[in-house]
Every structure is written in C-alpha cells, then in structure tokens.
Amino acid sequence: KQEVTQIPAALSVPEGENLVLNCSFTDSAIYNLQWFRQDPGKGLTSLLLIQSSQREQTSGRLNASLDKSSGRSTLYIAASQPGDSATYLCAVRENDMRFGAGTRLTVKP
Amino acid sequence: DVKVTQSSRYLVKRTGEKVFLECVQDMDHENMFWYRQDPGLGLRLIYFSYDVKMKEKGDIPEGYSVSREKKERFSLILESASTNQTSMYLCASSSATSGSYEQYFGPGTRLTVT
C-alpha cells in the first residue's frame, strides 16, 4: 500500500528565506504528484501538478521536482513571505490519491 | 477557474440524524470525491464517482453512502450520524478527459455531531 511521508512536520523560518519541503512515497508506480496548500479551517488549493513523465514544474516563486525512481519530491519556495504560512500537502495518484500528513510552515515577519 | 462548492461551511447535527452534504462543481468534471480530514490521520477517501450514477468505495465507506444523479453534483449521506463522524469533510473533482487528473477541492464542511 502506498505510503506518503512529509518531512518536516513543522517548519518556522524568517521572512525572505528560501526553503525546501520534502515528500517521499513508497511505490514509484504513480500517475502524478500534486502539491497543495491548506489554510486553517479551509479546503485545499492546488499549487503544482507533476505528471509521472515530468521532472519539475514551476509557478511563480514555487518549484516542485519529482524523482520517481527514488520516490521523492521537493517543493522549493523562494523568498518566503508571511503570506506563505500554511500547511503544505503532497499527494500521489495511483488508482486514487494518497496524501501526506503535511508540513506546517510559519514564515515570521 | 474551476469552482467546487459545498453546501455548508459549518454544520451541527445530533446523534442519529440523517445528514446530507452536497458538493457541486462547474467544470464538467467526470470524477468526484469525498474525503474526511482528521488531525493526525490526514485525508482519507470515503467514496468516489467516475460518472453519473456510478460510485466506488474508498478506504473508509462504513457509515456513509453517496448519490450522483447529475454530473455536477455529488452528495455524501450519513444515514445515522454518530459522534465519531465529527470531522472536516472535503469534496474534490477532477477531469478524466483532460488526462491530467488534477484534483480541485471545495472549501470544506466542518461537521460536528453531538
């Protein structure tokens, strides 16, 4: 059964830092990997989707990479801002989606 | 932009009541999903549907049923609500025809069963 792990569980950084969030999965036979942002008490907002044939995707200050063979993905956030504070979840799709527990990010002014 | 809406943001029900949670998407997506999210357990799939009148069980279907009579609407039904069904319920949809299967989520319904 696919297991998705996110490390660290929580991260606190000063404003302006570049940071990396990690996601690992146990079965490399995935269809795609998706990164989400979740604000407290809200739904999930899709940030980036990487298909299994792709290595990375970029959107603004966000860059996500995928290494299927090693079962890893990273989300890179450049020049972090207090507005980036949220929980970030990754999910991999096989027949259905499997979610990690998330990384709770706090960016301090 | 894809829009997924859920009928209520907050809901309080009594034990034993029948509860309906409704989800509507406006992008003609074939696939729709119901998840629940609990602290320490993450998101867990309850039911999903790949087409009208079609449903498949997810990881935790016990105590729930679903209905999909129209393509844009997917309802989650708690036949007899129990306190252990207190949770955040999230609906999502995705397109099969586009090939991306990117999931789009609604704002969630916080259900409290007393």
Side-chain angles (χ1 to χ4, degrees):
Chain A
K1 181 181 173 181
Q2 179 78 265
E3 291 186 6
V4 182
T5 304
Q6 292 188 246
I7 295 173
L11 182 64
S12 181
V13 300
E15 182 177 4
E17 269 202 13
N18 302 323
L19 58 99
V20 174
L21 307 181
N22 296 293
C23 172
S24 61
F25 47 95
T26 54
D27 187 344
S28 62
I30 63 170
Y31 190 86
N32 62 37
L33 184 145
Q34 197 167 352
W35 281 95
F36 296 90
R37 169 189 173 132
Q38 186 176 30
D39 293 290
K42 303 285 182 65
L44 278 66
T45 300
S46 179
L47 297 174
L48 289 164
L49 172 75
I50 311 177
Q51 301 292 353
S52 62
S53 58
Q54 298 174 324
R55 295 300 300 266
E56 66 177 344
Q57 284 286 334
T58 297
S59 176
R61 295 182 292 108
L62 306 180
N63 176 275
S65 67
L66 174 63
D67 184 342
K68 250 185 32 169
S69 60
S70 66
R72 292 180 182 177
S73 176
T74 61
L75 179 67
Y76 175 82
I77 302 177
S80 59
Q81 303 171 356
D84 294 331
S85 298
T87 296
Y88 292 81
L89 296 100
C90 71
V92 298
R93 181 175 178 271
E94 298 173 297
N95 294 322
D96 51 33
M97 295 285 276
R98 296 288 168 184
F99 289 80
T103 294
R104 188 172 70 252
L105 173 66
T106 303
V107 181
K108 298 179 178 179
Chain B
D1 279 354
V2 176
K3 193 168 185 182
V4 180
T5 57
Q6 295 184 227
S7 51
S8 304
R9 289 299 311 279
Y10 301 94
L11 210 52
V12 180
K13 295 291 182 181
R14 293 194 178 274
T15 301
E17 279 194 79
K18 191 169 186 176
V19 182
F20 292 88
L21 302 182
E22 299 219 324
C23 175
V24 178
Q25 50 90 8
D26 67 357
M27 284 301 292
D28 201 36
H29 283 173
E30 295 79 15
N31 308 324
M32 297 189 75
F33 308 84
W34 275 107
Y35 296 90
R36 64 177 283 177
Q37 185 178 30
D38 301 286
L41 296 175
L43 272 86
R44 294 179 290 168
L45 181 64
I46 305 172
Y47 267 97
F48 59 99
S49 170
Y50 288 148
D51 202 350
V52 176
K53 297 191 184 294
M54 180 271 181
K55 60 185 178 184
E56 293 286 344
K57 293 180 180 179
D59 296 324
I60 51 164
E62 297 78 18
Y64 303 95
S65 63
V66 290
S67 172
R68 194 165 180 201
E69 295 296 319
K70 294 184 178 181
K71 191 175 185 180
E72 67 271 19
R73 188 180 299 268
F74 192 35
S75 301
L76 180 69
I77 304 157
L78 287 66
E79 295 289 342
S80 178
S82 63
T83 55
N84 63 12
Q85 292 179 310
T86 291
S87 186
M88 171 70 111
Y89 289 87
L90 294 163
C91 174
S93 72
S94 70
S95 170
T97 54
S98 73
S100 75
Y101 294 93
E102 183 171 3
Q103 287 207 0
Y104 297 88
F105 280 78
T109 295
R110 172 74 65 183
L111 173 66
T112 302
V113 183
T114 61

